[in-house]
Amino acid sequence: MGASQPAGDVDPSTLLPPAEPVHLLDPDGTYHEDPDHPVDLDDDQLRMLYRHMVVTRKVDREAINLQRQGQLGVYASLLGQEAAQVGGAFALSEEDWVFPSYREMGAAVTRGVDTGKMLHLFRGTWLSDHDPYEHHFALYSIPIGTQALHAAGFAMGAKFDDNPIVTMAYFGDGATSEGDPHEAMTFAGVFKAPVVFFVQNNQWAISVPLDQQTAAPTLAHKAVGYGMPGHHCDGNDVLATYAVTRKAVDRARSGAGPALIEALTYRMEAHTTSDDPSRYRTRQEEEEAAKTDPIVRYKLFLEKEGLLDADLGEQVEAEAAAEATRMRDEIYEAPHGDPMELFEHVYVDDTGHFERQREVLATELAARDGEVSA
Amino acid sequence: MGASQPAGDVDPSTLLPPAEPVHLLDPDGTYHEDPDHPVDLDDDQLRMLYRHMVVTRKVDREAINLQRQGQLGVYASLLGQEAAQVGGAFALSEEDWVFPSYREMGAAVTRGVDTGKMLHLFRGTWLSDHDPYEHHFALYSIPIGTQALHAAGFAMGAKFDDNPIVTMAYFGDGATSEGDPHEAMTFAGVFKAPVVFFVQNNQWAISVPLDQQTAAPTLAHKAVGYGMPGHHCDGNDVLATYAVTRKAVDRARSGAGPALIEALTYRMEAHTTSDDPSRYRTRQEEEEAAKTDPIVRYKLFLEKEGLLDADLGEQVEAEAAAEATRMRDEIYEAPHGDPMELFEHVYVDDTGHFERQREVLATELAARDGEVSA
Amino acid sequence: MTVTLAQAINRGIHDAMEADDRVLMFGEDVGKLGGVFRVTDTLQETFGTDRVYDTPLAESGIIGTAIGLAMYGFRPVAEMQFDGFAYPAFEQFTSHLAKMRNRSRGRVKLPVTVRIPFGGGIGAVEHHSESPETYWAHTAGLKVVSPGTVADGYAMTRAAIAADDPVIVLEPKRRYWMKDDLELPVTTEPLHKAVVRRPGTDVTVVAYGPMLKTAMEAADAAEEEGWSLEVVDLRSLSPIDTDTLVASLQRTGRMVVVHEAAQSLGPAAEIAARMQQEAFYHLEAPILRATGYDTPYPPAMLEEFWLPDVDRILDRVEEALDY
Amino acid sequence: MTVTLAQAINRGIHDAMEADDRVLMFGEDVGKLGGVFRVTDTLQETFGTDRVYDTPLAESGIIGTAIGLAMYGFRPVAEMQFDGFAYPAFEQFTSHLAKMRNRSRGRVKLPVTVRIPFGGGIGAVEHHSESPETYWAHTAGLKVVSPGTVADGYAMTRAAIAADDPVIVLEPKRRYWMKDDLELPVTTEPLHKAVVRRPGTDVTVVAYGPMLKTAMEAADAAEEEGWSLEVVDLRSLSPIDTDTLVASLQRTGRMVVVHEAAQSLGPAAEIAARMQQEAFYHLEAPILRATGYDTPYPPAMLEEFWLPDVDRILDRVEEALDY
Ligand SMILES: Cc1ncc(C[n+]2csc(CCOP(=O)(O)OP(=O)(O)O)c2C)c(N)n1
Ligand SMILES: Cc1ncc(C[n+]2csc(CCOP(=O)(O)OP(=O)(O)O)c2C)c(N)n1
Ligand SMILES: [Mg+2]
Ligand SMILES: [Mg+2]
């Protein structure tokens, strides 16, 4: 052994990201074809991307309103990241799975998840309330980066089963510093698991800017260290994001293993409604970022291509408004949780755990009822 | 922002390892000069490298004997890794610090640490027994990869203090899968901490071979993901290891930040004395590896260069034997620990912790004494 | 047949894998090597590398991917190589493995079994002899059990794998070589039940895992002193079978709880808290504890002074009888 | 001057940094932002980015580098952003921060302070309201304290930073905005001492951190029922000041222990175990517990049903009095 050959059998240079992020749409909507990143979408699908982004923007704004009205305790907006989320999720098939962090309303919309149900976590009615198995959309994961391992494990399972599905883990630029995504990429590389690690690099982890998060040239450069290709795209360009993700997804589905995608974008809102970004970044930076609005750009493209006229535009806005209303209603009409439910879901079989504690709570509830009726 | 420039400001290609590991000595001892990796050592220093390797080999063998004789509970041999450990540690100055794992007897010898004291951990007299501040050699770290963070933190401290020292963390190929070295490299990159991460890739993590540990082309390819240079050297070539490490150490000392070094070597022994490698690797592989013995090669070099004659050779052997005897004596003569010491070092100030438990143990000890004298 | 505890557990995993092809077994060195204690010996040969596999050296990775595999539909059996090396996975244990089902309102179940060789007494180096059961037992959403007999080694392994909840099986590593008769099929109490292993009248001694054997030896030794000890094998640390303990305490009036884990906030604290409440009027003496000290686990040559043994148990028994 | 608990802690860190230039403060978002609770507000401005700095998002990295910095000679004050996010660092906490001094036979000391905002009651989402004190308090080698008053917010912060042992300071986040007078210099009891905050004769109520205020309110309410409660502020969870507790119990004969943490293997279990042993003949009633349930922390809208409150404490007080 000693001075022997390297461990892998691929040419490492093929795993490095391109010098420039993949970019297909100019700010004015002009499309540049890139033979390496074809956009294999028909007109309806191209319109659907727009629809998802507009609905996402609308429900995101509505969620902010709900928080201001005291209906939600907190909310984490994805304003500005619509293209990254929608473009990424649109590259998946129905059977594929998404493992989100806590900011993935755009991915949820793309998957068809009930947006109202997604808000119960923020409202506190329950810790979450959609069925992950319905749209193959896992629960929000709040501990940073932890879901990357679930996505990797799920993909390993699919691989063991010869089931041609792909999983996608969303996480942020900050998350790349945690141990879990590192371990997830290590496992995925070794087992050639069909998982795509999708980093939304929105430049900030709460108040910490990217250059205090890592010294890496780009986050996509991390991929080679796990023997997987690293991709780098303009995350405010929905077509670039879609095309890059699609390539990685197809490759994973074919059995060639995982990939890491870095989508460059910007968190235009505060970290959450509890945050005050004026303490750590300038208005000027925010205004600059606002100029790269992913929806504006894509709308210009659709108009140029003759795919979007005023009628259709209105129709999409109406759809978005309807979805926002449905979401608002779900939240307003959500019944208060039943305190006794606290014991219901901890175990499938809770023999021996809660007999006495159930009794304590039941007594307290009875006393409250007594006070109320008294 | 959006499709903006990458985060770092260095050309990523400068951070990638060379296509071939750095290699200065052929198996027959022929030296190839490499202007990028000068060996700035005088004759005495070149002989000292040999001395350290021979002493290391000898005390390592002696430790195995001590284990067989029941004097040690277990021992982790570094047979075959002498060049990697000695070459790496020799590149440090006295003020620099080493953060070892549990297999670094060669680094300890190079630093001048009392080899007998290093064995108390394996003997179980106490959990460790050398003074880390004496030779700037931290305690062995058994939980895999954890010491990488201590090395990074220590180096950050030196940097904050404008103290021109460098720290070096030794860890194994297996350790690169853990979250801690990942986080250590992230911190080191961001803070430009003067730390060198030195991976002894001995091809095995107990029974797990490298290709089941990671899909990375080489471990040195991980460096670019942290914005630091990745080096790759023949770890059985003490001059290559020295030269590569020296370069990284000098650079770190100059303030340019951390580096990752992968030294390719082979664990010729079992993982520890408790392990049975015949269950997972072939005799043939082991025999192949034995042919690359780092000491044989270096001895041929010294002889070719006229730096080692029979006299000096004997003198070194005698020195090694004396050191092994000193080590053996330390272990044989080590007093049994005092049970009451169990409470002594847990806290600097243990007010309130042990009053009652001390009493219980004291009573038990008194009863034993009673039985013995009765 | 007469088998060791390690063999009984091996057989338990084997039979579970044979009965259900959704059962996977993985961890560090569990494949070709068969585990550092050979508990998984021959399983990879029998079931192939897709069902029994070595992972990279990353414990959070092991538990995190186990969660993903369980969500997919497998029944993972994961090994942590030693007690002291499960800590890197602590976040996946507490924030996800324990809480995912509750978080999902019951929609996501995680039938994951985690095997952890635990405890001291084998003369090992640091981190290889710990008793971290408090960390798991205090964590709502996990079940935590520890076999103290060869038969339970088999039966609890099967029951843990069959359970739809995440179960931590703490295997008493110093008893891996303990031999006993194993007749299949084994019929034992349910996973959450404590069992009276030896009836007695003077003092109840509660133990589990590695200390069960020590408690039984103490009961033998006590006989010579004329004391009749009732030995209860706790078996499950979460939940704790309060009723069986209370019933025994009502018979004897005195109780000593034994474990290797450090005393403060160890399982014996919880048992004492429950007993003094639920059997207040039956207490002839306080519940006493024979446990490890509140110090890190000692070096090998001092472990005999740290670990509870027959003498320490009998000292507490005598103290209880003196009330 | 009248300050909030958060301001008192901020002042404590500030004064410690001013007094000793080896004190560093770091964590996620503690710099420019001043921490998500503003506890570290203005510290970076005052002491510069070399002494107060934001780290990458990696908790094991935070604790692991704190250890390295302490070995180098600094006195690090590290923040874990929330209780539920300290778990990724669990290995560095338990295997190194807690054990390094013992392992080195006293040669390596680690004067590290770790501040963790903990506990519930602020209507937060999951993982932001946990009470993981058992994990730290059961770990030999760590000291664990929790201030329940504004003055202790200052004094315990100073004492923790001044201590040569690693100290976990559990800051009751729901009380950050609680106001009180702070006169400097503060003279309080040593870090490891419990303090009787309100003398009483019928039942002792033991609480710490966030529950101290609740216990004091319960004592007020109890007065209306004609019950005189003695409130003991535990302050330190490791070590536990057994003597002060026993003395109080000897006076009252009855004790209720309060905490938010889940009941099984929570601190109240340890206190009950000690009390029934050390004050066996003084017990008029069993030690009772008013705690969180053995379930994961609930969603915001249900936390009022989960958290101990005045009513739950008084229920237990009444139960104790009924014996
Ligand atoms: C383990 C863990 N540590 C800390 C936090 C607190 N926290 C929540 S979001 C966040 C920043 C995340 O940044 P990034 O990964 O870039 O995602 P983004 O919020 O920008 O989408 C932090 C520190 C957490 N949720 N989990
Ligand atoms: C956190 C942790 N997990 C598991 C172990 C058990 N263990 C000890 S050595 C080892 C393999 C280490 O391999 P490598 O990093 O390549 O170092 P080497 O032993 O080859 O020098 C394992 C799994 C450990 N010590 N720490
Ligand atoms: Mg971000
Ligand atoms: Mg190795």
Side-chain angles (χ1 to χ4, degrees):
Chain A
M1 210 65 30
S4 72
Q5 72 297 343
D9 48 3
V10 259
D11 174 1
S13 70
T14 63
L15 306 179
L16 295 170
E20 289 299 317
V22 175
H23 169 107
L24 302 177
L25 284 182
D26 283 346
D28 70 357
T30 308
Y31 173 69
H32 301 274
E33 207 170 304
D34 171 352
D36 280 347
H37 299 95
V39 178
D40 58 348
L41 299 174
D42 63 27
D43 291 352
D44 280 350
Q45 290 172 312
L46 288 170
R47 291 193 194 99
M48 196 55 92
L49 282 176
Y50 180 69
R51 182 262 175 206
H52 289 331
M53 289 201 285
V54 171
V55 171
T56 297
R57 174 77 51 100
K58 183 77 182 173
V59 296
D60 188 68
R61 292 297 86 195
E62 187 65 24
I64 294 271
N65 289 338
L66 285 166
Q67 195 278 335
R68 297 225 170 96
Q69 291 157 16
Q71 292 297 318
L72 306 179
V74 67
Y75 178 71
S77 166
L78 65 100
L79 189 72
Q81 302 178 215
E82 295 87 352
Q85 289 192 16
V86 171
F90 204 74
L92 297 173
S93 80
E94 245 180 70
E95 293 310 308
D96 298 336
W97 270 74
V98 169
F99 290 79
S101 80
Y102 44 78
R103 199 189 288 291
E104 266 70 76
M105 191 62 114
V109 164
T110 310
R111 298 295 293 178
V113 182
D114 180 331
T115 55
K117 288 215 179 281
M118 293 306 298
L119 293 187
H120 284 294
L121 178 163
F122 295 112
R123 181 175 169 80
T125 16
W126 195 258
L127 301 165
S128 83
D129 204 18
H130 75 282
D131 181 347
Y133 290 94
E134 195 181 342
H135 296 283
H136 298 186
F137 193 81
L139 302 182
Y140 270 8
S141 194
I142 294 175
I144 297 293
T146 50
Q147 71 278 11
L149 279 167
H150 310 158
F154 202 102
M156 286 164 64
K159 174 126 190 161
F160 295 152
D161 242 11
D162 286 325
N163 179 356
I165 66 163
V166 173
T167 69
M168 187 147 96
Y170 282 99
F171 49 90
D173 44 306
T176 62
S177 296
E178 291 276 12
D180 274 10
H182 164 76
E183 299 189 11
M185 290 192 272
T186 298
F187 273 65
V190 168
F191 291 95
K192 287 204 173 199
V195 47
V196 174
F197 299 101
F198 191 96
V199 183
Q200 290 175 77
N201 177 357
N202 65 8
Q203 314 296 333
W204 292 93
I206 309 187
S207 72
V208 179
L210 191 63
D211 63 355
Q212 287 181 45
Q213 193 65 247
T214 180
T218 76
L219 298 174
H221 275 90
K222 291 178 176 286
V224 65
Y226 308 100
M228 64 177 76
H231 303 284
H232 199 205
C233 68
D234 180 346
N236 284 7
D237 172 345
V238 71
L239 294 183
T241 306
Y242 167 77
V244 165
T245 312
R246 183 58 195 254
K247 198 172 161 179
V249 166
D250 287 350
R251 182 175 171 279
R253 199 183 311 283
S254 77
L260 172 66
I261 296 172
E262 175 184 12
L264 283 163
T265 180
Y266 191 83
R267 193 197 79 209
M268 293 185 184
E269 261 285 0
H271 171 69
T272 68
T273 49
S274 310
D275 179 40
D276 173 10
S278 74
R279 296 181 67 104
Y280 54 80
R281 67 186 191 189
T282 60
R283 272 297 316 136
Q284 196 199 334
E285 175 184 318
E286 294 177 358
E287 278 158 16
E288 276 308 306
K291 291 183 192 152
T292 67
D293 188 310
I295 300 185
V296 171
R297 191 191 308 189
Y298 191 60
K299 190 171 180 205
L300 288 171
F301 160 79
L302 289 180
E303 284 167 356
K304 261 197 219 280
E305 302 283 320
L307 292 171
L308 183 71
D309 58 17
D311 272 10
L312 184 60
E314 270 170 43
Q315 193 185 312
V316 170
E317 296 294 337
E319 218 181 304
E323 181 62 26
T325 305
R326 256 198 305 281
M327 180 181 82
R328 160 179 290 266
D329 290 348
E330 159 100 19
I331 281 303
Y332 271 96
E333 287 161 20
H336 275 233
D338 169 10
M340 291 308 290
E341 196 183 333
L342 292 177
F343 300 106
E344 286 320 303
H345 312 298
V346 185
Y347 300 98
V348 175
D349 168 15
D350 68 6
T351 323
H353 268 103
F354 299 127
E355 289 81 351
R356 287 157 174 85
Q357 299 194 355
R358 264 209 190 86
E359 219 176 279
V360 173
L361 181 54
T363 310
E364 290 183 0
L365 294 174
R368 283 184 193 231
D369 279 354
E371 278 164 35
V372 171
S373 53
Chain B
M1 209 72 22
S4 73
Q5 73 296 344
D9 48 5
V10 260
D11 173 3
S13 70
T14 64
L15 306 179
L16 296 170
E20 289 299 318
V22 176
H23 169 105
L24 302 178
L25 284 182
D26 283 348
D28 69 357
T30 308
Y31 172 70
H32 301 275
E33 205 170 306
D34 172 352
D36 281 347
H37 299 96
V39 178
D40 57 349
L41 298 175
D42 63 26
D43 290 353
D44 280 351
Q45 290 172 312
L46 288 171
R47 291 193 193 98
M48 196 56 93
L49 283 174
Y50 181 68
R51 183 263 173 203
H52 290 331
M53 289 200 287
V54 171
V55 171
T56 297
R57 173 78 49 100
K58 184 76 185 171
V59 298
D60 189 68
R61 292 297 86 195
E62 187 64 25
I64 294 269
N65 289 338
L66 285 166
Q67 196 279 335
R68 298 226 170 96
Q69 290 156 18
Q71 293 296 319
L72 304 180
V74 68
Y75 177 72
S77 165
L78 64 97
L79 189 73
Q81 303 179 214
E82 294 88 353
Q85 288 193 15
V86 171
F90 204 73
L92 298 173
S93 79
E94 244 180 68
E95 293 310 308
D96 297 336
W97 270 74
V98 168
F99 290 79
S101 81
Y102 43 77
R103 200 189 288 290
E104 265 70 75
M105 191 62 113
V109 165
T110 309
R111 298 296 292 176
V113 182
D114 180 331
T115 55
K117 289 215 178 282
M118 294 305 300
L119 293 187
H120 284 295
L121 179 164
F122 295 113
R123 180 175 169 80
T125 15
W126 194 257
L127 302 165
S128 83
D129 205 18
H130 75 283
D131 181 348
Y133 291 94
E134 196 181 341
H135 295 283
H136 298 183
F137 193 82
L139 303 181
Y140 271 8
S141 194
I142 295 174
I144 297 293
T146 51
Q147 72 278 12
L149 279 167
H150 308 159
F154 201 103
M156 287 166 62
K159 173 125 191 163
F160 295 154
D161 244 11
D162 287 325
N163 179 356
I165 67 164
V166 173
T167 69
M168 187 147 97
Y170 282 98
F171 49 88
D173 45 303
T176 62
S177 295
E178 290 278 10
D180 274 11
H182 164 76
E183 298 190 11
M185 292 194 270
T186 299
F187 273 64
V190 168
F191 291 95
K192 287 204 172 199
V195 48
V196 173
F197 299 101
F198 191 97
V199 182
Q200 290 175 76
N201 176 356
N202 65 8
Q203 314 295 334
W204 291 94
I206 309 185
S207 72
V208 179
L210 191 64
D211 64 353
Q212 285 181 45
Q213 193 65 248
T214 179
T218 76
L219 298 174
H221 276 91
K222 291 179 176 285
V224 64
Y226 308 100
M228 65 178 76
H231 302 285
H232 199 206
C233 68
D234 179 347
N236 284 7
D237 173 346
V238 71
L239 294 182
T241 307
Y242 168 78
V244 165
T245 312
R246 184 59 195 254
K247 197 172 164 180
V249 166
D250 288 350
R251 181 175 173 279
R253 201 185 307 284
S254 77
L260 172 66
I261 295 172
E262 175 183 11
L264 284 164
T265 179
Y266 190 83
R267 193 196 77 211
M268 293 187 185
E269 262 285 359
H271 171 69
T272 67
T273 49
S274 310
D275 180 39
D276 173 9
S278 74
R279 295 180 68 103
Y280 54 79
R281 67 185 190 189
T282 60
R283 273 295 318 138
Q284 196 198 335
E285 175 183 319
E286 294 176 358
E287 278 159 17
E288 276 308 306
K291 291 186 193 151
T292 67
D293 188 309
I295 300 186
V296 170
R297 191 190 311 188
Y298 191 58
K299 191 172 180 205
L300 289 171
F301 161 76
L302 289 180
E303 285 167 355
K304 260 198 222 285
E305 301 283 322
L307 293 170
L308 183 70
D309 57 17
D311 271 9
L312 184 62
E314 269 169 42
Q315 192 184 311
V316 169
E317 296 295 337
E319 219 182 304
E323 181 62 27
T325 305
R326 256 197 307 280
M327 181 180 82
R328 159 180 290 269
D329 289 348
E330 158 99 20
I331 282 303
Y332 269 99
E333 287 160 20
H336 275 231
D338 168 11
M340 291 308 289
E341 197 184 333
L342 292 177
F343 300 106
E344 286 320 304
H345 312 298
V346 186
Y347 300 98
V348 175
D349 168 15
D350 68 6
T351 324
H353 268 105
F354 299 128
E355 288 82 350
R356 288 159 174 82
Q357 298 193 357
R358 263 209 192 85
E359 221 176 277
V360 172
L361 181 54
T363 310
E364 291 183 359
L365 293 175
R368 284 186 192 228
D369 278 353
E371 278 166 35
V372 172
S373 53
Chain C
M1 65 198 159
T2 301
V3 299
T4 65
L5 175 63
Q7 288 166 337
I9 296 170
N10 176 286
R11 182 68 189 264
I13 304 169
H14 172 277
D15 290 359
M17 295 192 77
E18 200 172 58
D20 180 353
D21 66 8
R22 304 316 274 171
V23 177
L24 304 177
M25 164 76 223
F26 51 87
E28 293 157 8
D29 307 292
V30 300
K32 257 195 180 168
L33 184 64
V36 293
F37 292 104
R38 307 291 179 268
V39 173
T40 55
D41 201 20
T42 72
L43 293 176
Q44 189 176 65
E45 267 167 65
T46 309
F47 297 104
T49 51
D50 262 16
R51 291 188 64 201
V52 178
Y53 58 89
D54 290 328
T55 64
L57 211 180
E59 291 77 12
S60 194
I62 293 170
I63 303 302
T65 56
I67 291 170
L69 285 160
M71 288 181 71
Y72 179 83
F74 283 103
R75 303 185 80 85
V77 182
E79 174 178 297
M80 301 275 95
Q81 196 162 79
F82 282 90
D83 33 58
F85 304 137
Y87 306 144
F90 203 71
E91 182 183 39
Q92 288 289 348
F93 272 111
T94 53
S95 295
H96 290 305
L97 187 62
K99 297 191 178 77
M100 187 87 82
R101 179 170 202 277
N102 182 63
R103 177 181 306 145
S104 71
R105 229 165 175 157
R107 294 181 181 102
V108 179
K109 71 170 190 211
L110 297 178
V112 176
T113 299
V114 185
R115 301 178 34 250
I116 313 182
F118 92 118
I122 62 163
V125 295
E126 206 185 343
H127 312 284
H128 292 73
S129 303
E130 310 211 343
S131 294
E133 51 264 41
T134 282
Y135 301 141
W136 320 125
H138 180 62
T139 303
L142 300 178
K143 293 184 170 176
V144 185
V145 300
S146 185
T149 67
V150 168
D152 262 356
Y154 180 89
M156 293 177 98
T157 299
R158 293 290 314 253
I161 298 172
D164 279 338
D165 290 309
V167 183
I168 314 285
V169 184
L170 295 167
E171 299 176 357
K173 69 170 89 81
R174 68 149 109 173
R175 305 297 180 208
Y176 273 145
W177 304 276
M178 173 176 79
K179 285 192 171 169
D180 206 348
D181 217 41
L182 179 70
E183 296 307 330
L184 298 182
V186 176
T187 44
T188 59
E189 292 289 315
L191 209 48
H192 66 282
K193 276 293 196 195
V195 171
V196 177
R197 293 279 174 218
R198 175 184 172 127
T201 53
D202 296 331
V203 180
T204 298
V205 176
V206 181
Y208 56 86
M211 284 289 109
L212 178 64
K213 181 158 180 288
T214 311
M216 296 295 276
E217 287 163 8
D220 284 341
E223 236 170 46
E224 290 171 32
E225 307 279 335
W227 305 327
S228 162
L229 304 190
E230 172 149 314
V231 179
V232 180
D233 180 0
L234 190 62
R235 299 175 81 245
S236 170
L237 291 150
S238 173
I240 287 172
D241 178 2
T242 312
D243 294 339
T244 299
L245 297 177
V246 167
S248 176
L249 182 54
Q250 286 176 344
R251 287 191 291 273
T252 61
R254 292 174 170 85
M255 181 179 283
V256 172
V257 189
V258 190
H259 55 63
E260 295 187 12
Q263 182 166 95
S264 286
L265 287 151
E270 179 60 30
I271 291 173
R274 292 187 187 197
M275 292 306 108
Q276 56 96 38
Q277 179 178 358
E278 304 227 354
F280 188 63
Y281 292 116
H282 292 89
L283 293 185
E284 307 281 345
I287 312 298
L288 298 178
R289 299 185 274 180
T291 69
Y293 297 114
D294 288 346
T295 74
Y297 194 84
M301 293 179 70
L302 297 178
E303 67 184 352
E304 61 167 310
F305 301 101
W306 194 91
L307 288 168
D309 57 8
V310 167
D311 287 338
R312 191 172 301 163
I313 296 171
L314 292 185
D315 281 356
R316 294 294 85 72
V317 164
E318 187 172 11
E319 191 181 335
L321 287 167
D322 281 349
Y323 272 80
Chain D
M1 64 197 162
T2 302
V3 300
T4 64
L5 175 64
Q7 288 166 336
I9 295 170
N10 177 285
R11 183 66 190 265
I13 304 170
H14 173 276
D15 290 0
M17 296 193 77
E18 201 172 57
D20 181 352
D21 67 6
R22 306 315 277 171
V23 177
L24 304 176
M25 164 77 222
F26 49 87
E28 293 156 9
D29 307 292
V30 300
K32 256 193 181 170
L33 184 64
V36 293
F37 292 104
R38 305 292 180 270
V39 173
T40 54
D41 201 19
T42 73
L43 293 177
Q44 189 175 65
E45 267 167 66
T46 309
F47 297 105
T49 50
D50 262 16
R51 293 190 61 203
V52 179
Y53 58 88
D54 289 329
T55 64
L57 211 180
E59 291 75 16
S60 194
I62 293 171
I63 302 303
T65 56
I67 291 170
L69 285 159
M71 289 181 70
Y72 178 82
F74 283 102
R75 302 185 80 85
V77 182
E79 175 177 298
M80 300 276 95
Q81 195 162 78
F82 282 88
D83 32 60
F85 304 138
Y87 305 144
F90 202 72
E91 182 183 39
Q92 289 288 345
F93 273 111
T94 53
S95 295
H96 291 305
L97 187 62
K99 298 193 177 77
M100 186 88 80
R101 182 172 200 276
N102 182 64
R103 177 180 308 146
S104 72
R105 230 163 173 160
R107 294 182 181 101
V108 179
K109 69 171 195 214
L110 297 179
V112 176
T113 300
V114 185
R115 302 177 34 250
I116 313 182
F118 92 117
I122 62 163
V125 295
E126 206 185 343
H127 312 284
H128 292 72
S129 304
E130 310 210 343
S131 294
E133 51 264 44
T134 282
Y135 300 140
W136 320 125
H138 180 61
T139 303
L142 301 177
K143 293 184 169 177
V144 186
V145 300
S146 186
T149 67
V150 168
D152 263 355
Y154 180 88
M156 295 177 96
T157 299
R158 293 290 315 254
I161 297 173
D164 279 338
D165 290 309
V167 183
I168 314 286
V169 184
L170 296 167
E171 300 177 357
K173 70 170 88 80
R174 69 149 106 173
R175 304 297 182 208
Y176 273 144
W177 304 277
M178 173 176 76
K179 283 192 174 168
D180 207 345
D181 218 40
L182 179 69
E183 296 307 331
L184 298 181
V186 176
T187 45
T188 59
E189 293 288 317
L191 209 48
H192 65 281
K193 276 295 198 189
V195 170
V196 176
R197 293 280 174 216
R198 175 184 171 128
T201 53
D202 294 333
V203 179
T204 298
V205 176
V206 181
Y208 56 86
M211 283 290 108
L212 177 63
K213 183 161 181 287
T214 312
M216 296 295 275
E217 287 164 6
D220 285 340
E223 234 170 48
E224 290 170 31
E225 307 280 338
W227 305 327
S228 164
L229 303 191
E230 172 149 313
V231 178
V232 179
D233 180 0
L234 190 63
R235 298 176 79 246
S236 171
L237 291 150
S238 172
I240 287 171
D241 178 3
T242 312
D243 294 339
T244 300
L245 298 177
V246 167
S248 176
L249 181 54
Q250 285 177 341
R251 286 190 292 273
T252 61
R254 292 175 169 87
M255 183 179 280
V256 172
V257 189
V258 189
H259 56 62
E260 295 187 11
Q263 183 165 96
S264 287
L265 287 151
E270 179 60 29
I271 291 173
R274 292 187 185 197
M275 294 304 108
Q276 56 96 40
Q277 180 179 357
E278 305 227 354
F280 188 62
Y281 292 116
H282 292 89
L283 293 184
E284 307 281 345
I287 312 296
L288 297 178
R289 298 184 276 181
T291 69
Y293 296 112
D294 288 346
T295 74
Y297 195 86
M301 293 179 72
L302 296 178
E303 67 183 351
E304 61 166 310
F305 301 100
W306 195 90
L307 288 167
D309 58 7
V310 167
D311 286 338
R312 191 172 301 162
I313 295 172
L314 293 184
D315 282 356
R316 293 294 85 72
V317 164
E318 187 171 10
E319 191 179 334
L321 286 166
D322 281 350
Y323 272 80

